Amino acid sequence: MPPANIPEPLTQFCDGSLNSSSVVISLIGAGGKTSTLFWLARQFSLLGKKVIITTTTRMYLPDENIPLLMCCDPAHLPAAVFASPICACYSAWQPSSGKVRGFLPPQVDALAQRHYADIILVEADGSRGLPLKAPALHEPCIPVSSRCVIAVTGGQVLARPLGPDNVHRWPIFASITKIKRGDKADIAVLKHFIRHPAGMFKNVPLDAQRIWLINRFSQSENFITNKLSALLISTGLDAIWLGAVREFPPIRNVLQRQRN
């Protein structure tokens, strides 16, 4: 069995001895949220952590051998139904879309208080399969109990021309970043999008850690790592992960903000 690979700063959640409730980690953005969610679930499970997977929106079920629960409210279930090392819990199956529907953020918060699992991983955003997105008024749907929020971006858009073909909710993104179709996703544009209150980390709880995962980073070699490092200071990010979660190793580089 391969060793677990939990990148910093999530290693702080690997010791659950001091936790009185489940650690909630929410994933938002676009370009690999579901793949990242199930990768993290496997890594925490390798460390002996019990994991619950759910969503506050809708998500596809990947081809994973994981027990599946359907219920109206997971906090009302007995602890015994969450006995598996990893389980996925949703409210309904939607055959027309091929997706499952999850729970309201307060329901996830209540589930975390029951402490049925060490970790609850939440897909808290939708993206229509595009590598970059801007949140609409009702998005993202992040539980307030989230200790960490991971914003995912598909690396194939970095330093490339942007438009409705590769940005979900393009009119909102263009309005936030003040760019026009065909402008490139350079450092200045991304910095503005990360820092804007309606941008990448909209609705993130104030005390939650913020991680930016640039997925499929191998497609973005023209992005210089030291320029990304500068964003840690100017945007308040706790870390930037560079990698490709469907490859090995999933995370090739971790840029972490130094704390005093």
Side-chain angles (χ1 to χ4, degrees):
M1 180 178 295
N5 178 18
I6 303 292
E8 295 285 357
L10 291 193
T11 52
Q12 65 182 299
F13 302 134
C14 294
D15 180 7
S17 59
L18 300 178
N19 294 330
S20 59
S21 60
S22 302
V23 173
V24 178
I25 300 173
S26 295
L27 285 83
I28 59 175
K33 291 188 304 296
T34 303
S35 298
T36 302
L37 183 148
F38 279 87
W39 161 66
L40 283 173
R42 292 191 297 270
Q43 300 310 302
F44 279 115
S45 180
L46 285 173
L47 292 175
K49 303 301 177 185
K50 186 179 290 187
V51 181
I52 295 174
I53 294 166
T54 190
T55 180
T56 53
T57 176
R58 296 169 177 81
M59 64 180 287
Y60 287 110
L61 287 177
D63 185 16
E64 300 276 350
N65 186 22
I66 293 174
L68 178 63
L69 299 173
M70 294 285 185
C71 67
C72 295
D73 191 334
H76 292 166
L77 296 178
V81 303
F82 297 101
S84 299
I86 306 176
C87 68
C89 188
Y90 308 105
S91 65
W93 165 251
Q94 299 180 309
S96 59
S97 65
K99 294 184 177 182
V100 286
R101 188 174 69 235
F103 305 102
L104 296 173
Q107 291 179 295
V108 177
D109 295 327
L111 177 62
Q113 289 299 314
R114 299 299 295 269
H115 206 180
Y116 288 158
D118 300 298
I119 306 290
I120 299 178
L121 295 170
V122 184
E123 185 163 319
D125 211 355
S127 60
R128 301 284 178 89
L130 296 178
L132 183 60
K133 75 160 291 184
L137 288 176
H138 64 283
E139 298 172 319
C141 302
I142 303 174
V144 297
S145 59
S146 299
R147 299 274 297 278
C148 177
V149 176
I150 303 171
V152 183
T153 298
Q156 63 269 40
V157 299
L158 301 188
R160 302 292 178 86
L162 298 177
D165 293 339
N166 55 11
V167 179
H168 183 41
R169 306 201 191 286
W170 163 251
I172 299 175
F173 185 88
S175 176
I176 290 173
T177 58
K178 310 301 181 186
I179 66 172
K180 62 183 182 297
R181 183 171 182 169
D183 287 347
K184 292 185 177 181
D186 59 17
I187 288 291
V189 168
L190 293 168
K191 176 181 176 180
H192 189 72
F193 185 52
I194 292 169
R195 296 183 61 177
H196 197 284
M200 184 181 291
F201 288 93
K202 178 190 173 190
N203 293 346
V204 172
L206 290 177
D207 58 348
Q209 288 197 322
R210 302 181 179 203
I211 297 173
W212 182 25
L213 167 58
I214 305 178
N215 192 29
R216 298 173 67 182
F217 186 72
S218 58
Q219 299 189 15
S220 312
E221 295 176 355
N222 54 339
F223 246 58
I224 302 173
T225 300
N226 61 7
K227 289 186 177 180
L228 292 172
S229 297
L231 289 179
L232 292 171
I233 300 173
S234 61
T235 61
L237 290 172
D238 291 282
I240 299 175
W241 292 352
L242 311 175
V245 296
R246 289 183 176 272
E247 299 176 6
F248 186 84
I251 303 300
R252 298 189 180 93
N253 198 356
V254 174
L255 311 176
Q256 196 168 2
R257 179 159 56 96
Q258 298 300 317
R259 296 182 179 274
N260 296 329

